Amino acid sequence: MNEVLLRSLTPSVLTVLVRRGADFAAAEDAVQEALIEAVRAWPADPPRDAKGWLVTVAWRKFLDATRSDAARRRREDLVDEEPKPGPTPAVDDTLQLYFLCAHPSLTPSSAVALTLRAVGGLTTRQIAQAYLVPEATMAQRISRAKRTVSGVRFDRAGDVATVLRVLYLVFNEGYSGDVDLAAEAIRLTRQLAARVDHPEVAGLLALMLLHHARRAARTAPDGSLVPLAEQDRSRWDTRLIAEGVQILQTALALDRLGEFQAQAAIAALHADAPTADETDWVQIVEWYDELTRLTDSPVVRLNRAVAVGEADGPRAGLAALATLDPALPRHTAVAAYLHERDGDPATAARLYAEAAHKAPDLAERDHLTRQAARLNARRSRR
C-alpha cells in the first residue's frame, strides 16, 4: 500500500467533492472513509486509476451519509451527478483547495489550522506545537472550524496572507514525516508566485529556497542534527541560494517589506557567509529588529536574543533573553547555549539537560542530550 500516493491524492479528491456541492466537513469525512476503503481493498485489487477510484468511492460515501440525514434530503438529487468510474483528468487542485479552506467565514487562525489538518497532512499535535498551544485547545479550534464551514458553499476564496501562513507552517513541518511536505510547500508557493503579484509571496518563496538549500547539511549520517554553525557549507545548494537571493532582492526593491521578506533577508545573510565566523551578526540583529516591529512575536524575540549574543557578546544575549517568558519553547536551550558561550559550562550542561526533557521531537532531544554530555565529560576530565 502506497500511503504517500494516498496522501498526495487527498487534496484533489476533496476538491472534486466540494466542487460537486458537498460541504467541506462532510466531504472530508467521505474522503477519509474512501482512504480507509482503499487501504483495505487496494492490496488485493489495485485500481488502474487511483484518483478516479477514490473520487467514485468518496462520492458514494458522501451520498450515503447525505441520505441518512433528514435535514439534508435536498442533496438526493445530486445522485445523478455521480462521477463514472474511469480515468480522471490529471489536474492539480491543491493550491485552489488551500484558498478554499481559507474561507472568509473563518478567522485566519482557524482557517490555517483547518487547512493544515485537512490538506497539509499535519497532525493536531504538530499544529498545536506550531501555534504554541495545548493539543486539546487546537483540537477544539479545528472542530469549531469544521462546524463553521459545514453547509457553507465555497464560492469565495480566502486571502493570500492566510494561504501564505499555511504554506509556511507546512514547510516548517516538512522535514519530518513520510511525505516530503517541504518540497510540496515550495512547489505550491512557486505556483502562487506565478499567479499573484505580491511581495510577500516572493518573500516566502525566497525564504523556503534559502532554508531548503541547507537541507543536505542539516543532519549527520547517523540522523543527528547538525547546528548551523557546524554544517558543511560545501553541501549547501548554491543554485537554490542564488535563486532565493535574486527573488528576495526583487521583492525588497518594491519597498513593501513584510515578515517573510525580513526572514528571508536573515537567511540570505547566513547563506552569504563563507564560514560561521564571518556571519554578519550586526545586520542580522537589525533585520530581527525589523521582524520584531512587524510581528512582535516571542519566537522572533528569542531568535533575536541569540543574534544579539553573537553580535554583542553572550552577556548581552542573556540580558535580551531575560526579558522573555522562560516557558517559551526552546528558551532553555538558548539559555544553555549563551551560558556556554559565557564560560559557564556547569550551568550550560544543566540547562541543556533540562531543555532535552522539553524538546518537541526525538532529534532535538538527542542533540541537546549530546550537548549536555559533552560539557559534563569535559568537566570530568579536569
Side-chain angles (χ1 to χ4, degrees):
M1 171 55 57
N2 192 334
E3 295 183 10
V4 173
L5 173 62
L6 283 176
R7 293 181 66 177
S8 67
L9 289 173
T10 298
S12 294
V13 177
L14 188 54
T15 302
V16 171
L17 267 64
V18 170
R19 283 177 172 174
R20 292 180 178 275
D23 67 69
F24 186 86
E28 186 187 17
D29 290 341
V31 172
Q32 292 301 318
E33 289 189 35
L35 294 176
I36 293 172
E37 184 69 15
V39 171
R40 185 192 66 78
W42 285 11
D45 185 20
R48 284 176 294 181
D49 176 26
K51 179 183 173 183
W53 189 98
L54 286 171
V55 168
T56 300
V57 174
W59 186 254
R60 287 174 178 165
K61 296 288 185 183
F62 164 70
L63 291 178
D64 289 344
T66 298
R67 294 191 190 99
S68 66
D69 189 344
R72 298 177 182 175
R73 290 190 181 279
R74 61 184 176 81
R75 296 186 185 272
E76 292 277 345
D77 56 13
L78 296 176
V79 174
D80 295 333
E81 298 182 21
E82 178 179 340
K84 297 179 180 180
T88 304
V91 179
D92 184 1
D93 299 312
T94 308
L95 186 58
Q96 181 179 3
L97 189 56
Y98 272 65
F99 272 97
L100 292 176
C101 288
H103 196 271
S105 63
L106 295 172
T107 63
S109 61
S110 295
V112 170
L114 178 62
T115 314
L116 290 171
R117 184 70 186 92
V119 189
L122 273 63
T123 66
T124 302
R125 175 174 295 181
Q126 287 173 315
I127 302 169
Q129 289 174 346
Y131 271 87
L132 310 181
V133 299
E135 184 176 354
T137 300
M138 183 53 65
Q140 292 176 353
R141 184 180 300 177
I142 294 172
S143 295
R144 284 196 299 270
K146 288 182 178 180
R147 289 195 298 270
T148 299
V149 300
S150 180
V152 171
R153 288 302 296 253
F154 284 78
D155 53 357
R156 292 184 298 157
D159 67 334
V160 174
T162 300
V163 174
L164 288 176
R165 179 64 53 191
V166 174
L167 290 169
Y168 178 57
L169 291 175
V170 169
F171 177 81
N172 283 342
E173 293 293 342
Y175 295 109
S176 60
D178 297 326
V179 179
D180 193 346
L181 293 174
E184 174 69 358
I186 291 174
R187 184 183 69 84
L188 293 174
T189 306
R190 285 190 187 278
Q191 288 186 11
L192 187 59
R195 300 179 190 181
V196 178
D197 182 17
H198 191 298
E200 275 293 80
V201 177
L204 178 58
L205 179 57
L207 176 63
M208 288 179 174
L209 293 174
L210 289 165
H211 280 309
H212 207 56
R214 304 199 301 257
R215 182 170 189 173
R218 290 181 73 247
T219 55
D222 62 359
S224 60
L225 293 179
V226 180
L228 176 61
E230 300 173 18
Q231 289 177 13
D232 179 358
R233 301 189 176 212
S234 67
R235 300 185 65 196
W236 290 1
D237 189 328
T238 55
R239 180 186 59 82
L240 287 182
I241 291 173
E243 182 185 3
V245 169
Q246 181 178 12
I247 291 171
L248 173 63
Q249 290 175 340
T250 302
L252 291 176
L254 298 175
D255 198 23
R256 293 161 57 194
L257 184 64
E259 63 173 296
F260 293 124
Q261 295 171 70
Q263 289 190 57
I266 293 170
L269 286 168
H270 283 297
D272 187 55
T275 66
D277 291 339
E278 297 173 86
T279 303
D280 190 342
W281 287 106
V282 173
Q283 272 204 68
I284 288 177
V285 171
E286 291 174 355
W287 276 110
Y288 270 122
D289 289 340
E290 288 287 345
L291 196 52
T292 300
R293 180 182 60 80
L294 290 166
T295 67
D296 196 30
S297 163
V299 175
V300 170
R301 292 181 181 276
L302 182 67
N303 291 333
R304 180 184 179 279
V306 177
V308 168
E310 299 290 352
D312 301 327
R315 294 195 179 181
L318 287 168
L321 187 66
T323 65
L324 303 177
D325 184 356
L328 190 64
R330 296 187 173 87
H331 183 285
T332 308
V334 170
Y337 173 75
L338 291 173
H339 276 289
E340 181 182 358
R341 289 276 322 280
D342 195 38
D344 187 356
T347 300
R350 175 179 58 79
L351 290 172
Y352 275 129
E354 183 181 332
H357 289 292
K358 302 176 182 178
D361 58 65
L362 182 60
E364 186 172 343
R365 187 179 311 132
D366 287 346
H367 170 71
L368 293 168
T369 300
R370 288 192 187 96
Q371 297 296 88
R374 172 180 57 81
L375 291 179
N376 285 329
R378 184 185 302 172
R379 289 170 58 212
S380 66
R381 289 195 296 267
R382 292 179 178 176

